[in-house]
Amino acid sequence: MELNIVLVEPEIPQNTGNIARTCAATGSRLHLVGPMGFQIDDKKLKRAGLDYWHLLDITYYDSLDDFLEKNKEDEENFYFFTTKGKHIHSDLEYPEKVFLFFGKETKGLPEWLLHDHPDRCARLPMLNDAAARSLNLSNSVAVAVYEVLRQWNYPNLLCEGHLREFDD
């Protein structure tokens, strides 16, 4: 099983750092598609990801066209998270190799991409309130990642914790 997170033109380094930490903790691969609104050595990016950077499987792309060209054999495994989606994220069934796409914080994913793949556009349910347009990007990624992992029965993840101060 392979879970891939694709960030298309991320703008806020703290969001990308938080997403990198989620990827590191879940074994998900991270794909960063430029142009990005920050430099990869940005201190805010590193701080948000803390000391998890060495755990990442990360690939960089110059543009969305670059990503699509290099991953065209996997196009049937692309799922697009958007406020414009017609399907609730938890109603979709995700394949054993999946790419979850998320757009830039200010605009989301390009509409042509959503138009071309309507059956694979997922929405996180929210109130119908114009003032709260969407969830934070890093929160949306975390919800999506854990829904896929839930469907896959959390492969290779530790599903039970232990108290540090007590011996059970």
Side-chain angles (χ1 to χ4, degrees):
M1 299 189 157
E2 184 181 314
L3 179 49
N4 296 275
I5 305 306
V6 182
L7 301 183
V8 179
E9 300 182 12
E11 299 169 312
I12 301 173
Q14 295 92 327
N15 282 335
T16 300
N18 288 335
I19 292 164
R21 186 172 179 169
T22 297
C23 289
T26 60
S28 304
R29 296 179 66 212
L30 180 59
H31 303 263
L32 295 179
V33 178
M36 295 184 288
F38 52 87
Q39 298 297 317
I40 205 61
D41 61 355
D42 190 307
K43 286 188 293 187
K44 293 175 185 169
L45 178 70
K46 299 282 189 193
R47 187 175 12 187
L50 297 175
D51 55 350
Y52 291 81
W53 287 100
H54 68 284
L55 300 173
L56 282 174
D57 180 354
I58 188 167
T59 307
Y60 302 93
Y61 303 87
D62 292 330
S63 66
L64 183 54
D65 287 339
D66 182 31
F67 175 90
L68 295 173
E69 177 61 31
K70 290 177 178 169
N71 295 280
K72 60 185 167 193
E73 69 281 356
D74 290 310
E75 184 178 356
E76 71 278 358
N77 298 326
F78 293 173
Y79 287 78
F80 307 93
F81 280 74
T82 173
T83 59
K84 300 167 183 124
K86 302 289 185 197
H87 304 284
I88 295 174
H89 73 291
S90 55
D91 288 345
L92 295 171
E93 291 184 34
Y94 301 96
E96 290 189 3
K97 181 178 185 183
V98 67
F99 292 78
L100 306 180
F101 282 70
F102 298 85
K104 64 170 105 180
E105 290 89 341
T106 56
K107 292 185 179 180
L109 292 166
E111 287 203 356
W112 65 264
L113 197 58
L114 307 176
H115 179 268
D116 290 353
H117 304 93
D119 292 339
R120 289 183 270 138
C121 288
R123 176 181 171 79
L124 300 178
M126 294 176 285
L127 292 174
N128 185 14
D129 183 354
R133 294 180 311 276
S134 64
L135 292 174
N136 173 275
L137 178 62
S138 63
N139 293 336
S140 297
V141 171
V143 169
V145 164
Y146 274 91
E147 173 56 25
V148 171
L149 293 171
R150 182 195 67 78
Q151 288 185 18
W152 292 352
N153 201 28
Y154 304 104
N156 304 315
L157 297 182
L158 180 63
C159 292
E160 180 180 322
H162 299 283
L163 298 173
R164 292 182 188 160
E165 297 179 24
F166 297 91
D167 215 0
D168 289 342

